[in-house]
Amino acid sequence: MPLDRTETPRPPRTAEAAAAPEPTPEPAPAPPRALRPGPSPAPVPVPLADTGAVDPPTALTVHGCWYPSADPTGAHVAYICDRAGVPQLWSGPAHGGEAHILDADPDPVTEVSWSPDGRWIAYTSAPGGGEHTHVLAVRPDGTGRQVLAGAEPGASAHLGCWTRDGSALAVTVAMPAAAGAHSGAGHLPEDADPVPAGGSLPAGWAGRDGPATLLGPPVRTVDGHPAPVPGTGPPRLTPVPAHTTAPSAVLPSGAGAPAGAAGTVGAAGTADGAGTAAAGAAAARAAAAGAAAPGTAHAGGGLAAYLVDPDGTRAPDLLFAEPGAASLRVCDIGADGRFALLRRGPRGRREALLLDRTTGRVTFRLHVADGDPWIGRLSPDSRSLWLRSDAGREFAALFRARLDADGALEQLSVAAEREETPLDLLTLPDHGRWALLSWNVHGASELEGLGLPTGHTDDGVGPHHRSALPHEVVTRMAAVARGGLFAALSGSRRRPGIWEVTGDFAPVRTAWTARDEDAAPPGRPPVRPVPLRCRARDGLMLGGWYYRAPGRDPGRPGPCVIHLHGGPEEQERPVFSPLYHEILGRGMDVYAPDVRGSSGWGRSFVDADLGTGRFAAIDDVADCAALMVARGYADPLRLAVMGRSYGGYLTMASLVWHPELFRTGVAVCGMSDFATFFAGTEPWIAQSAAAKYGHPEHDRELLRALSPMSRVDRLRAPVLAVHGEHDTNVPPTESEQFVRAARAQGVPAELLTLRDEGHDFLRADNRRLYRRAAADWLQRHLLPDIPGR
């Protein structure tokens, strides 16, 4: 697996799509009316050739279905399925019948949303498997397919919510980056030297000041309830008034101003009106120029949210914009269209913002939990806002914010909570009479439904209904207005599938979801893991799951792989992993821990790796390996470490901080040097990463000390690096420079580059290649006497 860059052909279209006659494309819609100069060019819908609903291809031996979204009646479900070898958009009847592909193109689909009026299905796809995604829409019969946002070269867009009447879809688009900023996956020249840690960095990064040791903004209470402290946390935004004039322009219904402009938050978390129309207009002009307002710096680029009409009868409407933003998503728009619920901010400091579109003011804001971006919804009368939040708490709960007629906070309360158990997922139908909640119990899920008070009352929630799930983890929920929901379930013994949860709260598998016995590779049943806690050297208790290779004597130590998840805020959960299945089948155990920084164990645990705490996270990996040896599970001479994304970083860090502990390592899409990572990643990812890892200028020395490249001379164990060629989250240079540095000092190192993949590996053939190459590498070094495949 050398550093090979020979071109390979793109995957062909499916046979059905290739054989289908090419229909005449619909006439292109008239170009939208000119918007005033904005922070990003308004998205222009691009019609595509219709394919219609395509007959299903021959199924893979095993496949999964996930991310359901039902039509308004609940009679049909749109979802993602990799039945044809790549995640694609499918639709099927809720009760029996055959499912069909709605988009046969080979670009992986990542999100799905059926419009409330039933006329359109919106979805996000990743061209070439990369990180620059498009938002598309198609009619339920497969006609009218078009790109709504992200079609421009170098652009990226992702889904927001629909308006309640289904007439428009909210999308978030990436603003153009500054000249010279990174805009694609980077590669080292063949003759490049390893890049040293602490290299030059682009100027003008936005972020907090000082060392990266902050564990989150302080929290105070108002009337016994958590509320933000003015002047703390992330920089404040000043929304732009809706009626700022501009010649020859269509005015947006409201827009956000850059961080750092005038405006504060009042005692109850509401805007105090300090931002004047003049200040808002100045901020709007700054955003229009792609520049920061006074007191703000950014590396170029940012995010903007628009409302887009799939029918093409109205011009795109700018809702909100933020230069230098780390994240932005429109989660809900009230029934009368006045208020919009936004989620913004970097990791660990996400906020819910309530935007009054008539004035352009943010009327309410509150810290919300990381994890699922769909944080909540407004009641039908917009007098209550239901949020999944951990403001002032260790674990996320269901919050109710009672609002006055102008969207200002009247009362904030916790409507549903569980002790030491975070709320993982939340969904509400448009009528708002009940909510469905998924609780995270040490990695497994518990599903609950509860009634909500109607109107502007003080009534509490209830009654509660709980469901016995056939599998361990709920990954997505789609409520149906008439009652019930569709839930994507996954478990340790099957790949994802979709179940309908009916009125009696009993899950029923949909007909087009694979049966449990068909959801895993034939011949060898999947291993059911057991929870295994580990106490770190400083006393912090870590979570994790242990998988023992089938057929091995439990009293005999064997080869063991410590596998580290990404994030770092992800969590190891008991779901079927084809990678683990492959490794276990080669006779090697797997221990998959939640080191500090992981979610599911409280805010303090997530924040425990900030700043210098990341050195302790590296030691957590060694402590987990020591636990496996002390328990008699692992042979101390046959330990390996591997992981993806942040887990790839931890893999490289563990190999150079504990060079004598591991026999080998597999680092997948990992960061090897924070300086080159910040210089090469996307601007919005850099903004979010700075809040988690440290500021690339203020914390330069800390980040240098934490970078595996700064200690690569201590590397002793052979390493396999794996990367997607289109990864712009963690550019391929991060793996390339680590492999080159290892080879330069005589350590065996190889690099596998996966074509047409980004940060996540989505194509079945590439996933298979990856897991077999990784298992071969591990087997070669942990079981050298057993020939590999």
Side-chain angles (χ1 to χ4, degrees):
M1 288 167 280
L3 291 164
D4 177 31
R5 293 190 181 79
T6 55
E7 291 295 325
T8 56
R10 303 278 179 180
R13 292 165 58 91
T14 62
E16 292 80 359
E22 289 292 336
T24 302
E26 294 186 355
R33 293 171 292 170
L35 284 169
R36 67 173 173 83
S40 175
V44 178
V46 177
L48 303 173
D50 287 339
T51 60
V54 179
D55 289 336
T58 302
L60 296 177
T61 305
V62 292
H63 62 274
C65 304
W66 62 95
Y67 217 110
S69 184
D71 73 1
T73 68
H76 290 81
V77 184
Y79 59 96
I80 301 173
C81 182
D82 60 359
R83 186 175 178 179
V86 63
Q88 292 174 307
L89 178 66
W90 288 65
S91 177
H95 308 112
E98 186 60 82
H100 297 276
I101 295 179
L102 294 181
D103 186 342
D105 282 351
D107 294 333
V109 174
T110 57
E111 292 183 301
V112 181
S113 180
W114 206 312
S115 67
D117 61 7
R119 297 175 57 246
W120 292 97
I121 300 170
Y123 57 107
T124 304
S125 75
E131 306 307 307
H132 287 196
T133 54
H134 297 175
V135 174
L136 300 93
V138 67
R139 295 190 182 98
D141 63 357
T143 63
R145 193 167 60 103
Q146 58 182 304
V147 179
L148 295 180
E152 300 80 9
S156 186
H158 61 252
L159 274 178
C161 67
W162 289 93
T163 56
R164 297 290 178 100
D165 62 1
S167 63
L169 174 72
V171 297
T172 297
V173 297
M175 298 189 221
H182 177 74
S183 61
H187 291 279
L188 289 177
E190 288 289 345
D191 57 352
D193 292 327
V195 178
S200 61
L201 293 168
W205 290 88
R208 56 185 167 75
D209 295 330
T213 55
L214 185 65
L215 299 186
V219 176
R220 65 189 182 94
T221 59
V222 175
D223 298 328
H225 301 295
V229 178
T232 64
R236 297 303 184 190
L237 307 178
T238 300
V240 179
H243 303 296
T244 305
T245 59
S248 303
V250 175
L251 302 178
S253 5
T264 60
V265 172
T270 59
D272 65 0
T276 64
R285 289 191 294 271
T296 304
H298 65 89
L303 301 173
Y306 289 87
L307 282 178
V308 180
D309 174 14
D311 292 316
T313 60
R314 292 182 297 172
D317 190 2
L318 177 64
L319 280 176
F320 196 85
E322 183 183 355
S327 69
L328 178 64
R329 188 180 294 251
V330 184
C331 296
D332 193 24
I333 296 176
D336 62 0
R338 177 179 176 183
F339 295 104
L341 173 63
L342 312 175
R343 171 188 178 267
R344 53 108 23 221
R347 290 144 56 174
R349 289 187 284 163
R350 309 288 192 195
E351 284 187 309
L353 304 182
L354 189 64
L355 175 69
D356 184 344
R357 298 179 59 211
T358 63
T359 64
R361 290 165 49 92
V362 169
T363 64
F364 168 77
R365 67 200 312 144
L366 185 71
H367 173 86
V368 292
D370 281 332
D372 186 65
W374 303 102
I375 55 173
R377 297 203 76 189
L378 287 155
S379 63
D381 61 1
S382 295
R383 298 298 297 273
S384 289
L385 176 60
W386 302 94
L387 290 170
R388 182 181 63 86
S389 172
D390 57 359
R393 307 172 56 82
E394 275 291 318
F395 296 92
L398 176 63
F399 277 63
R400 181 190 187 188
R402 290 184 57 189
L403 309 170
D404 66 17
D406 294 322
L409 180 67
E410 289 185 342
Q411 183 184 32
L412 185 66
S413 59
V414 175
E417 62 182 323
R418 291 196 186 183
E419 185 177 358
E420 297 190 356
T421 300
L423 178 59
D424 201 26
L425 300 171
L426 166 67
T427 186
L428 292 80
D430 285 349
H431 56 64
R433 294 193 298 270
W434 42 267
L436 291 149
L437 305 96
S438 177
W439 300 91
N440 183 336
V441 185
H442 297 167
S445 298
E446 290 187 5
L447 187 61
E448 179 181 19
L450 69 161
L452 302 179
T454 57
H456 198 56
T457 69
D458 293 324
D459 297 342
V461 301
H464 298 246
H465 301 279
R466 296 187 181 181
S467 175
L469 299 175
H471 297 285
E472 292 99 320
V473 179
V474 178
T475 62
R476 180 64 45 188
M477 301 187 299
V480 180
R482 60 170 171 75
L485 81 155
F486 292 91
L489 303 181
S490 190
S492 59
R493 303 183 71 83
R494 68 157 294 130
R495 297 199 63 209
I498 297 174
W499 271 253
E500 183 178 12
V501 181
T502 57
D504 58 1
F505 233 54
V508 177
R509 181 179 60 84
T510 55
W512 26 263
T513 287
R515 300 176 303 167
D516 290 354
E517 54 269 32
D518 298 328
R524 177 167 45 87
V527 172
R528 186 182 296 276
V530 295
L532 182 61
R533 306 293 299 273
C534 173
R535 187 174 297 279
R537 62 190 65 184
D538 62 358
L540 185 66
M541 187 63 73
L542 314 176
W545 296 87
Y546 170 58
Y547 299 75
R548 176 180 286 123
R552 190 171 59 75
D553 183 354
R556 181 180 178 183
C560 182
V561 179
I562 307 297
H563 186 275
L564 306 165
H565 62 67
E569 303 93 337
E570 294 177 14
Q571 181 185 13
E572 189 67 34
R573 308 193 72 170
V575 297
F576 174 71
S577 167
L579 173 65
Y580 296 175
H581 190 72
E582 184 78 30
I583 294 172
L584 293 164
R586 308 290 186 95
M588 297 170 280
D589 292 356
V590 175
Y591 180 42
D594 288 324
V595 300
R596 69 192 67 206
S598 305
S599 63
W601 306 95
R603 283 185 67 184
S604 296
F605 193 89
V606 171
D607 291 340
D609 67 343
L610 295 185
T612 56
R614 201 157 311 282
F615 292 109
I618 297 170
D619 287 338
D620 287 347
V621 182
D623 294 340
C624 289
L627 171 71
M628 299 303 294
V629 173
R631 288 285 188 96
Y633 300 155
D635 180 344
L637 299 180
R638 292 188 291 170
L639 287 168
V641 60
M642 74 174 297
R644 195 194 69 83
S645 191
Y646 177 75
Y649 158 77
L650 273 186
T651 295
M652 290 184 276
S654 299
L655 292 174
V656 299
W657 258 269
H658 303 283
E660 307 302 331
L661 181 58
F662 297 104
R663 177 72 68 87
T664 189
V666 179
V668 185
C669 300
M671 302 164 292
S672 61
D673 187 294
F674 281 109
T676 54
F677 162 70
F678 275 110
T681 189
E682 301 286 358
W684 60 91
I685 294 175
Q687 292 291 341
S688 193
K692 187 63 181 178
Y693 303 126
H695 193 285
E697 290 183 345
H698 303 152
D699 303 314
R700 180 188 295 260
E701 292 306 314
L702 173 63
L703 293 178
R704 177 185 176 87
L706 286 166
S707 295
M709 285 294 290
S710 67
R711 300 168 62 95
V712 73
D713 60 313
R714 300 189 63 195
L715 181 67
R716 299 292 180 269
V719 61
L720 169 66
V722 185
H723 226 108
E725 68 165 337
H726 299 312
D727 189 350
T728 59
N729 183 329
V730 178
T733 48
E734 294 301 303
S735 287
E736 292 175 7
Q737 65 192 8
F738 194 78
V739 168
R740 292 191 186 281
R743 289 177 175 178
Q745 57 189 35
V747 176
E750 296 184 12
L751 173 63
L752 171 64
T753 299
L754 297 178
R755 305 302 185 190
D756 291 326
E757 297 288 2
H759 196 59
D760 294 304
F761 305 153
L762 301 176
R763 302 180 188 280
D765 53 348
N766 280 332
R767 293 198 306 267
R768 187 182 307 111
L769 172 61
Y770 155 57
R771 62 177 179 262
R772 289 182 178 176
D776 285 345
W777 180 270
L778 293 168
Q779 183 175 328
R780 183 192 315 170
H781 294 282
L782 299 187
L783 294 167
D785 297 332
I786 300 178
R789 294 185 182 180

